[in-house]
């Protein structure tokens, strides 16, 4: 996933490093803190969160996702705290216990505003923390797709949600979260009054680049609110795919019609269902987006954005006595983020890249359209020119599914399966061989990454795939060279595997 970084971004990063700014407080970073606020506005515009939203940079998608679920978990304890506090219990007395544990995000925030008006907000939040400490959310569920990033296993352990309360949902043939599986689990939990911390969707899963049906998940939430009077938090892991929403945005940050997007990005094709997901994203509650992925920014530069800035008060800490928090015009970063010290150089790099290449159809949209077109051409070549003849046998390079974004997953399979063929083992050995060659000759052999597929079609599940992240557009001669190099490297590894004596 390493691509060329824009010269302007790299220079801004280097210039920032000379002053070593720490964006935890403006006193330590008077310039780069202001640049991060401008980046925050850009990211909220990119994701559609608008003026009510708020974003900040982080070290990467790990910490951004942890912070989002930290917010969602803390939010889930607030209604119970309101019910226990003598000064606010009347605000929620009309809710049955089964709906109280799953109140909607906007309703909880409005109730906290009401608590503020009664001057008991901090008491309610302290009570919510006490409820969490005494196990008041011990049975709260987190729903995540099987294609989710490996960091989610760390997240549930770190936040005390636990593996037993994490439900890994099936995916469909396109490696998107299976909406019927989400519906079944959500309905079952809400009928029983089981707390749901969040439903986590992907807009560009890290292994496959697949974009979940965000519009369908949001419709499901509306359905549950009508049927049960209960709701759930929706977080989107768009670490990889968030910048791809620029394909659909005009310079003002508004969604372009689908026909106009198709015209602008031709010959790339953005699937209608991916466009629909990007159009729905502004109605989700939070999203992770990493500038150091499809933003092509030097590491570290992840980011978290929230639809409503009031959400971050749920994790806010008290003010440190040894620094201030700016002039009061902007929400300060230090008390409202998971990480303390954060490099201002990263903010300078993202800011500079955004000045050069705006996060809309005129800038990043054009860059990523080229990446998408290249990925789609690689998928097409596998379908039309993917035959490999190795030691008297014929194999095919298979692109496992038509990519949603700029990631392609390839496997090899024989046109005729012989006794003793185990394609799971063959693909794993091919990947291991490619890695070993790349380490031995980093400038002469293609670098690859791998993915273990988890597909609803059964045939792909558990299969090791060659994962290609297309981080730049290839012109025809370069694409021909890459295609030829890839075929030769895979054929060489296949030959070694086929030549192995049969296992006894």
């Amino acid at each position: 996933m390493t691509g060329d970084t824009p010269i302007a971004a790299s220079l801004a990063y280097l210039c920032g490093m000379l002053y070593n700014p720490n964006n935890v407080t403006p006193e330590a970073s008077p310039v780069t803190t202001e640049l991060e606020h401008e980046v925050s506005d850009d990211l909220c515009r990119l994701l559609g969160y608008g003026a009510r939203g708020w974003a900040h940079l982080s070290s990467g998608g790990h910490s951004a996702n942890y912070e989002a679920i930290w917010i969602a978990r803390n939010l889930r304890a607030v209604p119970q705290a309101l019910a226990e506090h003598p000064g606010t219990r009347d605000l929620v007395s009309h809710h049955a216990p089964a709906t109280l544990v799953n109140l909607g995000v906007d309703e909880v925030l409005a109730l906290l505003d009401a608590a503020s008006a009664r001057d008991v907000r901090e008491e309610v939040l302290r009570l919510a923390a006490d409820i969490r400490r005494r196990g008041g959310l011990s049975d709260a569920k987190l729903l995540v797709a099987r294609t989710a990033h490996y960091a989610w296993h760390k997240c549930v352990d770190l936040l005390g949600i636990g593996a037993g309360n994490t439900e890994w949902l099936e995916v469909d043939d396109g490696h998107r979260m299976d909406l019927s599986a989400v519906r079944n689990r959500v309905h079952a939990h809400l009928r029983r009054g089981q707390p749901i911390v969040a439903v986590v969707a992907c807009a560009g899963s890290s292994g496959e680049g697949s974009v979940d049906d965000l519009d369908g998940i949001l419709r499901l939430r509306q359905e549950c609110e009508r049927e049960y009077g209960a709701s759930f938090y929706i977080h989107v892991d768009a670490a990889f795919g968030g910048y791809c929403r620029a394909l659909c945005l005009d310079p003002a940050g508004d969604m372009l019609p689908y026909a106009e997007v198709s015209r602008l990005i031709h010959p790339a094709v953005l699937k209608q269902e991916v466009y629909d997901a990007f159009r729905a994203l502004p109605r989700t509650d939070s999203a992770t987006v990493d500038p150091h992925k499809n933003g092509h920014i030097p590491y570290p530069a992840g980011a978290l954005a929230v639809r409503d800035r009031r959400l971050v008060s749920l994790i806010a800490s008290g003010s440190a006595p040894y620094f201030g928090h700016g002039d009061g015009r902007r929400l300060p970063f230090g008390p409202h983020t998971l990480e303390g010290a954060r490099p201002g150089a990263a903010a300078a790099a993202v800011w500079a890249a955004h000045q050069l290449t705006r996060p809309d159809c005129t800038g990043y949209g054009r860059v990523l359209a080229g990446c998408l077109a290249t990925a789609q051409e690689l998928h097409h070549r596998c379908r039309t020119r993917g035959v490999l003849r190795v030691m008297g046998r014929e194999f095919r390079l298979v692109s496992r599914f038509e990519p949603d974004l700029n990631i392609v997953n390839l496997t090899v399979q024989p046109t005729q399966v012989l006794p003793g063929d185990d394609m799971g083992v063959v693909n794993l050995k091919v990947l291991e061989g490619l890695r070993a060659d790349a380490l031995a000759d980093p400038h002469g052999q293609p670098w690859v990454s791998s993915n273990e597929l988890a597909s609803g079609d059964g045939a792909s599940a558990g299969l090791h795939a060659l994962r290609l992240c297309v981080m730049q557009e290839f012109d025809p001669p370069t694409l021909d060279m890459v295609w030829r190099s890839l075929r030769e490297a895979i054929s060489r590894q296949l030959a070694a595997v086929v030549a192995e004596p049969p296992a006894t």
Side-chain angles (χ1 to χ4, degrees):
M1 207 178 289
T2 301
D4 293 333
T5 58
I7 293 174
S10 297
L11 285 174
Y13 195 97
L14 289 169
C15 290
M17 287 176 65
L18 295 176
Y19 296 91
N20 194 28
N22 178 0
N23 271 28
V24 71
T25 174
E27 285 84 352
S29 51
V31 174
T32 53
T33 292
E34 186 58 34
L35 296 183
E36 185 168 353
H37 283 305
E38 293 189 29
V39 167
S40 172
D41 293 341
D42 279 349
L43 293 176
C44 287
R45 191 178 302 111
L46 171 66
L47 299 172
Y49 287 155
R52 290 179 62 194
W54 187 71
H56 69 86
L57 297 179
S58 67
S59 61
H62 281 63
S63 62
N65 283 327
Y66 299 164
E67 186 174 317
I69 303 307
W70 185 20
I71 290 170
R73 186 204 64 176
N74 287 7
L75 179 96
R76 194 47 53 219
V78 169
Q80 187 177 339
L82 290 162
E84 291 188 13
H85 194 285
T88 55
R89 61 170 58 113
D90 64 297
L91 297 174
V92 294
S93 59
H94 59 290
H95 286 290
T99 58
L100 189 67
V101 295
N102 284 309
L103 290 186
V105 173
D106 290 340
E107 184 172 1
V108 175
L109 292 175
L111 287 166
L112 277 175
D113 286 345
S116 293
R118 298 181 181 188
D119 203 26
V120 293
R121 177 192 178 93
E122 294 308 313
E123 294 175 19
V124 168
L125 290 178
R126 284 195 294 271
L127 183 54
D130 186 58
I131 288 169
R132 296 194 304 271
R133 279 193 294 271
R134 64 180 192 246
L137 293 177
S138 60
D139 59 345
K141 303 295 183 181
L142 183 71
L143 279 61
V144 188
R146 290 191 182 277
T147 50
H149 194 273
Y150 71 90
W152 286 101
H153 294 275
K154 300 179 184 179
C155 178
V156 298
D157 184 33
L158 180 69
L159 291 173
I161 295 169
N165 284 327
T166 307
E167 299 185 352
W168 304 96
L169 301 181
E170 297 301 327
V171 294
D172 62 20
D173 295 352
H175 295 261
R176 300 172 182 153
M177 182 185 280
D178 188 331
L179 195 57
S180 63
V182 185
R183 175 174 284 104
N184 290 341
R185 299 313 305 151
V186 165
H187 276 279
H189 295 323
L190 295 184
R191 278 195 299 267
R192 291 197 303 267
Q194 187 108 37
I196 299 174
V197 173
V199 172
V200 179
C202 286
S205 55
S206 56
E208 304 80 17
S210 295
V211 179
D212 290 336
D213 184 359
L214 301 183
D215 189 52
I217 295 170
L218 284 156
R219 288 198 309 272
L220 172 62
R221 180 161 75 174
Q222 292 175 329
E223 172 189 317
C224 292
E225 288 168 351
R226 288 192 303 269
E227 186 168 344
Y228 305 106
S231 191
F232 51 88
Y233 189 103
I234 300 174
H235 174 65
V236 182
D237 187 347
F240 183 79
Y243 269 80
C244 292
R245 194 169 185 269
L247 294 161
C248 309
L249 300 182
D250 67 16
D254 296 323
M255 284 288 288
L256 294 163
Y258 180 68
E260 181 67 6
V261 173
S262 299
R263 184 187 70 80
L264 287 173
I265 70 172
H266 182 79
V269 177
L270 187 69
K271 298 176 184 176
Q272 176 73 58
E273 54 269 37
V274 175
Y275 173 87
D276 291 342
F278 284 149
R279 184 176 56 190
L281 198 151
R283 292 181 284 137
T284 63
D285 298 307
S286 59
T288 294
V289 55
D290 281 0
H292 65 213
K293 291 188 172 71
N294 272 322
H296 296 84
I297 305 300
Y299 292 96
L304 175 69
V306 293
R307 174 176 56 87
D308 190 319
R309 66 185 61 204
R310 291 178 296 173
L311 283 166
V312 298
S313 69
L314 294 162
I315 59 169
S317 63
S319 299
Y322 49 87
F323 58 71
H325 298 300
D327 57 11
R329 293 183 301 110
R330 299 273 204 166
L331 195 65
F333 293 115
H336 296 95
T337 57
L338 172 62
E339 296 167 307
R342 297 176 304 114
V350 181
W351 180 88
H354 284 189
Q355 301 310 302
L356 177 71
T357 310
R358 294 299 297 161
D360 57 44
C361 67
T362 68
Y364 275 101
R366 295 175 64 183
V367 173
L368 294 170
C371 298
L372 181 59
T374 299
Q376 290 172 344
E377 175 61 20
L378 286 169
H379 171 76
H380 176 72
R381 289 193 181 201
C382 285
R383 297 184 65 182
T384 59
R385 297 159 58 181
V387 174
L388 304 173
R389 293 180 175 85
V390 177
M391 298 186 69
R393 294 194 64 185
E394 187 175 276
F395 295 83
R396 291 194 63 84
L397 261 180
V398 178
S399 176
R400 299 306 306 190
F401 52 93
E402 186 179 1
D404 283 352
L405 299 177
N406 47 317
I407 294 180
V408 183
N409 277 253
L410 307 181
T411 62
V412 293
Q413 65 183 44
T415 54
Q416 181 181 9
V417 179
L418 300 180
D421 279 348
D422 185 335
M423 295 318 296
V425 172
V426 170
N427 277 282
L428 182 58
K429 288 184 176 180
V430 167
L431 283 167
E432 290 172 345
L434 289 171
R435 281 202 195 99
D437 281 358
L439 287 169
D441 183 12
H443 297 292
Q445 297 300 321
W447 279 90
V448 302
S449 59
S450 64
N451 186 30
E452 186 173 348
L453 299 173
S455 177
D457 64 8
S460 299
L463 190 62
H464 290 274
L466 169 62
R467 170 178 170 268
L468 305 179
C469 289
V470 182
M471 302 304 290
Q472 58 183 313
E473 180 179 7
F474 294 153
D475 59 22
T478 303
L479 183 57
D480 287 341
M481 180 191 69
V482 169
W483 176 247
R484 183 170 59 253
S485 174
L486 192 64
R487 285 173 53 92
E488 290 172 355
I490 292 173
S491 295
R492 189 165 56 251
Q493 297 305 324
L494 272 174
V497 174
V498 171
E500 288 182 356
T504 56

